[in-house]
Amino acid sequence: MTAADDDARPVRRTAPGGGAAPPGGAAADPRVQQTIRVESGFGYGVVGADLHVFPDRGPVYLLGEHPGTAPAPDGAWLLDQPSRMLNARYRLVDFTGRERERTELTAWRDGPGPRLSATWLHGPGGHGKSRLADEFAAESAAAGWKVVTATHGPGTVLASAPESGADLRPDGARGLLLVVDYADRWPVSHLAWLFSNRLLAGALPTRLLLLARSATAWPAVRSTLEDVMAGTRDQELRPLGTSGGDPRARPAMFAAARNCFAARYGVPDPAVIAPPKDLERPEFGLVLAVHMAALVAVDAHVRGEQAPHDLAGLSAYLLNRERRHWTRLWENRLEGLDFGTPPSDMDRVVFTAALTGALAPEEGGALLAGLGLERPLRLLTDHGACYPPAEPGAVLEPLYPDRLAEDFLALSLDGHRVTGYPATPWAAPTARTLSTRGPDGALPPSVTRGLTFLAAAAAPGRWPHVAGHLEQILRQDPSVAVAAGSAALTALAETDLPASVLAAVEACFPEFGQLDLDAGIATFTARLVAERLPATADPAERGRLHQSLGFRLGRAGRAREALAADEEAVRCFRQAAAGTSATAPSRAADLATGLLHLTQHAYDADAPDRALHAAEEAAALFQDLAAADPATHEPGFALALAQVGRGLAAAGYPDRATAPTERAAGIFWRLTATQPGRYETGLALALNNLGTFSWQLRRLPDAVAAQARAIEFARRGLAAGPPAGSLLARAFVLDESGLAQCLGNLSLLLWASRRRDEALAALQEALTIARRLATAAPAAHEPVLAELASGLATYLGRQQRWREALALAEEAAEITARLAAADPMRYEDDHAKALRQSAEARLGTAGDLTAARRDADASVTLYRRLAERDPQYGRALEQAEEVQELAWSASSADPVAPKARWTSEDHWMNLLNQDEVWQDIKDRRHRLDEMPVSYCGNVLRFIRSQADQLIVLLTDGLDVAPEALGLTDRDDATSWLDRQPLIVALTRRARGESARPELCHCGYPVAPDWHHEHCYPGIVVD
């Protein structure tokens, strides 16, 4: 969680009624009885899945089983309001067409690949996404798949019926299909919670079908899916009859829909009803448009009227039929009908419902009363008679389909040219009122839907006059656009709003971004930049526009586009800097800053060579600038140096990475002393990298000192927050997850230094942070949580603190079971290790012997399979087999506690990481400078002969991967060993030189009681 995301709401995760059993665990009891008893408020439960619940707003989302059959509405009720027949929920039109899309979806569902895979199915409103998804869901259910739907929860009215619990266990199913409609309107964090649900963590093939109007939010969602190791693809639903498609698609779809509607009207020969002459016009590329044309053609035929030919006329026709029905009900009150709302009032209520969506009764009544409407309860009752709620107990069910509701909003607002449907004077004030903050500054929840629908109506080619009404709302309070969320920002960016209004909205954006808004902000910024560039001649200003766009695209996860924007920014800054005017230093600073941003996005886009090149150029520019104006440019120089170090380390040169990183740390060190509260984060980042490089180079004391100070300054930086508007703040923000990483690194270094209590304390704190982050965003942080829990279990086990170790091992095993089910290649070894730790800890506590044997057996089974693929798991398999043998040799009467194994750090780690003494086989210590040269050579050859075995011993003893010891792709065991301080010292002694050099590796003289950390404060900018 970054500093920009600190306003994320707390969410409780519960698993009532059971959840998916982890691999190797006991299966869930199929005989589950769930009772939901509600004292007040609402109740909702599931079996076989998690619930994510806001403490104050109910579930984050609702899960339910896809209905196998459609509701069967009364025929006369449908004819009263013909638009009801367009509701995809009733499936009144036989599905036809979209064969290619259905084939692609089926191939994705049944094809090979990751167990968990997602498709982002996108297309404008009216393209038939919901109907296609419904058909695909039905086909999947018939093919033996369990089909579940997810509905966004906040603001959704919950069913009050007793069956509001669902058994979602996929017992006996071939796979699981989860359908998520309006996925682009979900906050990304809410989708992340959904993706972490244990419903999706079983062993069955699992497919996520996400429906959206555009692909704008897809990069951020795709990144979240990649965090849970899901395969991803997107599929665009193209208009009917487009180039390369079937030219008969539209006529065939019209005929199918006409025949289905005609059957409802009792028309004996539907062939007499001809399609519109203009069916090939672009606006009829929508499935909904073709269905509307067919419905209106049939209704007009029955009524003896002329059907309109354009889409606006079709909407006006259907909406007039709605009004006619309201009028008939109002008039029939004189005949005793219980209906008391005149058409003029019903018009206002339907308009309000289109903006707000369904609400709870008390909210709906208060809303109508606040709009000045009398008898709100009567209005809600009569509105419910015309528009029955999809969820029992709700009120203000909106007009459906969405596109018709958008057209209704547009036709009610003044400014259109449809003469047969006059606008109403109250519509614009109502829209403004529903987008206005209350006395406490809070916005109504309906603002998200309202602005999104108005923006969709104002999209190019639809109702341009609606943009004028949006302009009034946003000039009144531009911040409501940001409060409405990412989908609303995306929709607003596609309207014809004036640049001044867009700029006012832009001024309300969070400076450092926010997870749930980043996708919409990126699209919005792209629109603004596209408008501003043609009117901007100054290359430096053009560069700043591109740079701003790159930052927003990077936050949205669109790394390659961000890199392209940064490349263009750098090109513009080069052009601006090419002159020799008096402003050259500022031009050079712009170029250096642009290169620094480019560096970050190049790393994100997996272009490390480009990143290193840009960082080196930025460092050279900032060095010259800092020489003339250190107060302004030293921070940029330090950041560039840190990025150079990162690039060199990524290229496999941690030895070369150390110097620039130490220099960056030195600059930030001095800046934090003179300007506290501004540059602590930069210093923490540099020191964290320095600690990693020093560890890779086997300079353990240096690594410990750097990592400890990184944590100190990370705490200060987090407390102070990033300085507003600074380069450092936008480019490099160290958040709480970074602090946890630093603490985890420090614990490893402290343990290797035999400072065990300090190591445990650091790891405990890291674990506390990781648990908090994993609660808010499990998909992103559970892997780190499992790693930290496993590491702490290892250390506690070595101290014979088996009960504490068992709790942590069980936690790690539970998490890694889910992770391994989703991505075996990446997490199966972690799960095997956690199971071995669990078995070992159970033996240590003389606890459940059956469970210990179960976990030990499962661990051995997994490691055997892994060792067959990769011999490097051989040693891990041996350890698991040792625990298995202990478990099966023990008995309840004669428990066998695991013995602490000899570990490498007890001898070799401490020996290799110092350059003063040698300890022989009899544990006698000899000062290197006092040992004969020939003896030093013998010791050197003895150690080198064991290089391969030493690496195995160290990785096992420290419980780390070889990379954590500093091995690179260019290393073999000997080259790695030659970098260790003891070997360097012995090599010098074998040549007849002193064990230690007279100068530190950073160039400073070695004095009595010297330590390298003393060099930091003295580093200055040349």
Side-chain angles (χ1 to χ4, degrees):
M1 179 184 295
T2 66
D5 301 324
D6 285 343
D7 62 346
R9 300 179 64 91
V11 171
R12 297 174 183 163
R13 176 180 180 152
T14 61
D29 185 352
R31 295 167 299 174
V32 173
Q33 178 177 346
Q34 183 183 58
T35 302
I36 302 172
R37 199 170 94 187
V38 181
E39 298 294 339
S40 63
F42 59 84
Y44 169 69
V46 292
V47 176
D50 291 332
L51 294 180
H52 287 100
V53 183
F54 285 117
D56 58 344
R57 292 189 290 160
V60 178
Y61 52 82
L62 310 179
L63 297 175
E65 192 165 5
H66 181 267
T69 58
D74 178 75
W77 179 80
L78 289 173
L79 296 178
D80 284 339
Q81 293 168 261
S83 68
R84 290 168 173 166
M85 287 183 262
L86 297 173
N87 194 323
R89 185 160 58 103
Y90 301 136
R91 308 178 202 171
L92 296 179
V93 177
D94 296 336
F95 192 87
T96 185
R98 297 296 190 191
E99 285 83 4
R100 180 176 62 82
E101 289 85 353
R102 291 162 69 187
T103 300
E104 290 177 0
L105 286 172
T106 302
W108 159 70
R109 183 194 67 199
D110 299 336
R115 183 197 65 83
L116 180 64
S117 182
T119 286
W120 186 266
L121 182 66
H122 60 97
H127 266 39
K129 299 181 295 297
S130 298
R131 189 68 177 88
L132 173 61
D134 194 64
E135 185 71 14
F136 178 64
E139 292 173 354
S140 298
W145 286 65
K146 179 80 169 184
V147 183
V148 177
T149 61
T151 304
H152 194 218
T156 299
V157 179
L158 298 176
S160 58
E163 59 270 17
S164 55
D167 186 351
L168 303 181
R169 293 172 296 170
D171 296 341
R174 290 179 54 192
L176 173 72
L177 172 66
L178 177 66
V179 182
V180 185
D181 207 351
Y182 300 108
D184 52 338
R185 297 181 188 174
W186 287 50
V188 177
S189 60
H190 295 190
L191 285 172
W193 291 323
L194 173 64
F195 299 154
S196 73
N197 196 298
R198 74 179 58 204
L199 172 70
L200 311 180
L204 289 175
T206 301
R207 302 293 180 259
L208 310 180
L209 183 60
L210 309 168
L211 312 183
R213 283 198 171 189
S214 76
T216 299
W218 176 228
V221 176
R222 182 176 58 220
S223 176
T224 303
L225 284 162
E226 288 169 353
D227 288 338
V228 293
M229 288 70 66
T232 58
R233 63 186 287 271
D234 67 281
Q235 183 173 340
E236 182 181 7
L237 203 57
R238 299 180 63 79
L240 296 171
T242 53
S243 178
D246 185 356
R248 298 167 299 176
R250 294 183 191 179
M253 185 167 287
F254 176 89
R258 176 199 60 194
N259 295 346
C260 291
F261 293 138
R264 293 284 174 178
Y265 280 86
V267 176
D269 182 13
V272 301
I273 304 173
K277 297 178 181 179
D278 300 325
L279 199 58
E280 297 307 314
R281 288 170 55 181
E283 62 187 16
F284 287 104
L286 301 174
V287 172
L288 176 61
V290 175
H291 284 188
M292 288 173 63
L295 176 60
V296 171
V298 173
D299 188 85
H301 171 79
V302 171
R303 302 179 64 79
E305 299 179 6
Q306 180 67 39
H309 296 292
D310 64 310
L311 198 51
L314 294 173
S315 292
Y317 180 97
L318 290 172
L319 293 171
N320 277 325
R321 291 284 281 114
E322 299 288 309
R323 280 182 165 174
R324 189 174 303 171
H325 179 62
W326 308 337
T327 302
R328 186 166 59 252
L329 292 175
W330 167 248
E331 291 171 346
N332 285 346
R333 80 192 188 287
L334 301 176
E335 307 298 327
L337 180 68
D338 184 15
F339 192 93
T341 300
S344 58
D345 285 351
M346 183 60 68
D347 204 4
R348 295 188 66 178
V349 178
V350 174
F351 183 89
T352 300
L355 288 171
T356 66
L359 299 174
E362 59 275 13
E363 293 178 281
L367 183 70
L368 295 184
L371 292 173
L373 290 170
E374 298 178 355
R375 302 179 305 133
L377 295 181
R378 175 79 259 180
L379 295 176
L380 291 175
T381 300
D382 291 346
H383 179 270
C386 296
Y387 303 95
E391 294 290 345
V395 298
L396 294 179
E397 182 73 11
L399 192 62
Y400 191 90
D402 288 349
R403 192 173 180 97
L404 187 62
E406 293 159 5
D407 289 343
F408 174 65
L409 294 172
L411 288 166
S412 299
L413 293 164
D414 61 275
H416 63 79
R417 299 181 179 179
V418 180
T419 55
Y421 200 102
T424 56
W426 46 258
T430 300
R432 289 195 297 272
T433 299
L434 293 175
S435 304
T436 301
R437 296 183 184 274
D440 59 352
L443 277 168
S446 59
V447 72
T448 298
R449 175 187 168 96
L451 280 187
T452 302
F453 270 57
L454 288 171
R462 294 192 65 189
W463 303 99
H465 72 286
V466 177
H469 295 280
L470 278 169
E471 179 181 349
Q472 294 178 36
I473 292 171
L474 296 178
R475 287 196 185 280
Q476 175 180 283
D477 182 1
S479 69
V480 300
V482 180
S486 184
L489 289 172
T490 298
L492 288 168
E494 296 171 357
T495 65
D496 292 328
L497 285 168
S500 59
V501 175
L502 297 176
V505 172
E506 180 191 34
C508 301
F509 290 165
E511 183 177 2
F512 306 111
Q514 184 175 311
L515 178 65
D516 293 339
L517 295 173
D518 286 331
I521 289 177
T523 302
F524 204 96
T525 303
R527 157 75 190 280
L528 270 173
V529 169
E531 283 207 6
R532 289 167 175 168
L533 281 172
T536 306
D538 178 17
E541 184 57 33
R542 292 175 65 86
R544 282 187 281 274
L545 290 173
H546 286 295
Q547 183 175 299
S548 174
L549 176 60
F551 170 72
R552 295 301 186 181
L553 290 169
R555 281 285 308 181
R558 298 159 65 175
R560 295 193 180 279
E561 294 173 79
L563 178 57
D566 285 332
E567 293 281 14
E568 186 61 25
V570 167
R571 188 191 67 78
C572 293
F573 289 140
R574 287 194 198 283
Q575 181 182 353
T580 56
S581 65
T583 59
S586 65
R587 300 304 192 202
D590 287 340
L591 176 58
T593 301
L595 287 163
L596 204 51
H597 281 268
L598 186 151
T599 298
Q600 181 62 49
H601 292 135
Y603 283 128
D604 294 342
D606 197 23
D609 292 342
R610 179 68 182 108
L612 177 56
H613 178 76
E616 289 174 333
E617 185 180 359
L621 288 168
F622 271 124
Q623 184 172 23
D624 291 340
L625 290 163
D629 186 0
T632 302
H633 298 297
E634 274 188 332
F637 181 44
L639 286 172
L641 288 171
Q643 290 288 50
V644 169
R646 179 182 176 185
L648 290 170
Y653 302 106
D655 50 341
R656 291 171 54 192
T658 302
T661 309
E662 285 181 335
R663 195 171 187 187
I667 295 170
F668 278 128
W669 197 295
R670 180 162 37 78
L671 290 172
T672 57
T674 58
Q675 303 177 58
R678 289 183 59 82
Y679 299 111
E680 283 79 1
T681 301
L683 179 56
L685 289 165
L687 289 173
N688 180 54
N689 289 344
L690 191 59
T692 301
F693 305 157
S694 298
W695 168 241
Q696 291 172 344
L697 294 169
R698 312 312 308 142
R699 296 201 283 263
L700 184 58
D702 298 345
V704 172
Q707 203 67 55
R709 283 192 162 86
I711 292 168
E712 173 190 347
F713 286 100
R715 294 188 200 282
R716 293 189 197 177
L718 286 170
S726 74
L727 169 65
L728 175 64
R730 271 205 162 188
F732 309 98
V733 175
L734 187 67
D735 55 30
E736 270 201 304
S737 63
L739 175 59
Q741 180 191 33
C742 291
L743 287 162
N745 292 342
L746 179 63
S747 71
L748 173 66
L749 301 174
L750 290 171
W751 190 269
S753 303
R754 300 181 65 84
R755 295 161 63 177
R756 304 300 166 77
D757 290 342
E758 295 173 80
L760 292 176
L763 201 49
Q764 284 279 14
E765 184 181 357
L767 194 66
T768 299
I769 295 171
R771 283 195 182 113
R772 184 167 63 250
L773 295 175
T775 299
H781 297 290
E782 275 195 337
V784 175
L785 174 59
E787 180 182 358
L788 292 171
S790 177
L792 187 54
T794 296
Y795 290 165
L796 290 171
R798 289 178 185 169
Q799 293 195 330
Q800 307 294 299
R801 295 163 62 176
W802 292 115
R803 292 194 183 281
E804 297 167 83
L806 176 58
L808 290 160
E810 288 179 329
E811 181 179 13
E814 179 186 353
I815 297 171
T816 54
R818 292 196 298 271
L819 298 174
D823 188 353
M825 293 296 294
R826 186 171 180 182
Y827 290 108
E828 207 166 47
D829 57 340
D830 293 330
H831 187 46
K833 175 183 171 183
L835 289 169
R836 189 209 77 210
Q837 291 175 312
S838 175
E840 197 170 24
R842 290 183 194 281
L843 292 173
T845 59
D848 187 342
L849 192 57
T850 301
R853 290 170 176 169
R854 180 200 65 205
D855 290 348
D857 290 347
S859 177
V860 169
T861 299
L862 288 172
Y863 272 130
R864 280 179 181 160
R865 185 162 67 239
L866 290 165
E868 288 175 1
R869 296 199 305 258
D870 189 341
Q872 74 167 343
Y873 290 105
R875 177 56 184 154
L877 174 58
E878 291 175 12
Q879 291 180 346
E881 288 174 336
E882 290 173 13
V883 175
Q884 184 186 44
E885 184 178 353
L886 277 176
W888 284 99
S889 65
S891 68
S892 56
D894 184 22
V896 179
K899 297 178 181 179
R901 293 191 299 270
W902 178 86
T903 55
S904 58
E905 79 274 10
D906 291 329
H907 178 72
W908 282 109
M909 181 53 64
N910 290 288
L911 203 56
L912 287 172
N913 278 288
Q914 53 81 46
D915 56 7
E916 295 183 78
V917 300
W918 162 249
Q919 187 171 344
D920 65 21
I921 195 171
K922 296 182 180 180
D923 286 339
R924 293 176 301 195
R925 296 168 68 85
H926 308 270
R927 289 187 59 82
L928 298 184
D929 283 326
E930 297 172 359
M931 290 167 53
V933 170
S934 59
Y935 183 44
C936 290
N938 290 339
V939 171
L940 184 61
R941 286 187 291 274
F942 166 73
I943 298 174
R944 282 176 170 163
S945 70
Q946 303 182 74
D948 291 319
Q949 296 94 317
L950 279 173
I951 287 178
V952 173
L953 288 172
L954 288 169
T955 53
D956 287 349
L958 289 171
D959 204 28
V960 297
E963 292 78 9
L965 297 175
L967 273 85
T968 69
D969 292 339
R970 297 179 174 82
D971 274 325
D972 56 21
T974 301
S975 65
W976 170 83
L977 188 61
D978 283 345
R979 292 201 301 271
Q980 310 315 304
L982 176 62
I983 304 305
V984 172
L986 283 169
T987 301
R988 290 177 59 84
R989 289 293 298 122
R991 295 197 302 259
E993 303 172 8
S994 62
R996 279 186 172 182
E998 296 179 355
L999 297 177
C1000 170
H1001 58 80
C1002 70
Y1004 280 75
V1006 174
D1009 300 322
W1010 163 92
H1011 189 278
H1012 175 63
E1013 65 185 74
H1014 301 152
C1015 297
Y1016 289 158
I1019 297 177
V1020 296
V1021 180
D1022 294 336

